[in-house]
Amino acid sequence: MIDYSNEVFQAVAEDLRAEYAGIRVVGEYVATPSLFPTVTLDETQNVPVHLDSATENKYAQVQYRVQIFTNTEEGKRAQARKIFGTLDARMQRLGLICKTFTTTPAIYNAEIYSITATYEGIIDRNGVIYRG
């Protein structure tokens, strides 16, 4: 398995923490966070895409799920989109491309606004990411 998920997470987390004081950034799925704003970033797919007679993989298709949760009294949508912009810029610089973007205002908990997105790319065994 080609695993650079920690490096991707650290790069994104550093940018977000530098830009937004008090933001919580975690590396796993969260249904509803207890602190706001919270960003989750977890690798949801990592499969080989180049198989030959070699004993180790050369490339892997990777997918990352991003969740952004905000709950400010006013401007939670704007805050979530601003956080997404910072995250998106870093993911693009890494070589990952956004494939889905969905806003999900909670029907049962309208105080929380969230954005869910997925990013994809192909990563080689040296950690170089290619747009998928």
Side-chain angles (χ1 to χ4, degrees), residues 1-2 43 45-50 57 59-63 123:
M1 179 175 160
I2 298 172
E43 188 177 81
Q45 181 181 358
N46 184 321
V47 294
V49 292
H50 177 81
N57 298 326
Y59 301 94
Q61 172 77 37
V62 293
Q63 182 179 72
I123 190 165

Side-chain angles (χ1 to χ4, degrees), residues 19-95:
E19 183 75 23
Y20 307 97
I23 195 167
R24 182 172 174 239
V25 185
V26 296
E28 58 191 35
Y29 173 83
V30 174
T32 304
S34 56
L35 299 171
F36 298 91
T38 291
V39 174
T40 71
L41 173 66
D42 62 317
E43 188 177 81
T44 57
Q45 181 181 358
N46 184 321
V47 294
V49 292
H50 177 81
L51 298 174
D52 59 17
S53 61
T55 58
E56 78 179 53
N57 298 326
K58 295 178 182 174
Y59 301 94
Q61 172 77 37
V62 293
Q63 182 179 72
Y64 292 90
R65 173 181 42 214
V66 171
Q67 298 171 281
I68 299 168
F69 298 94
T70 61
N71 75 340
T72 57
E73 275 215 26
E74 291 185 25
K76 57 185 160 250
R77 176 184 175 274
Q79 182 186 38
R81 293 179 75 83
K82 185 175 180 192
I83 292 168
F84 178 80
T86 302
L87 180 142
D88 184 62
R90 172 50 100 171
M91 294 294 267
Q92 287 189 40
R93 285 194 311 273
L94 289 171

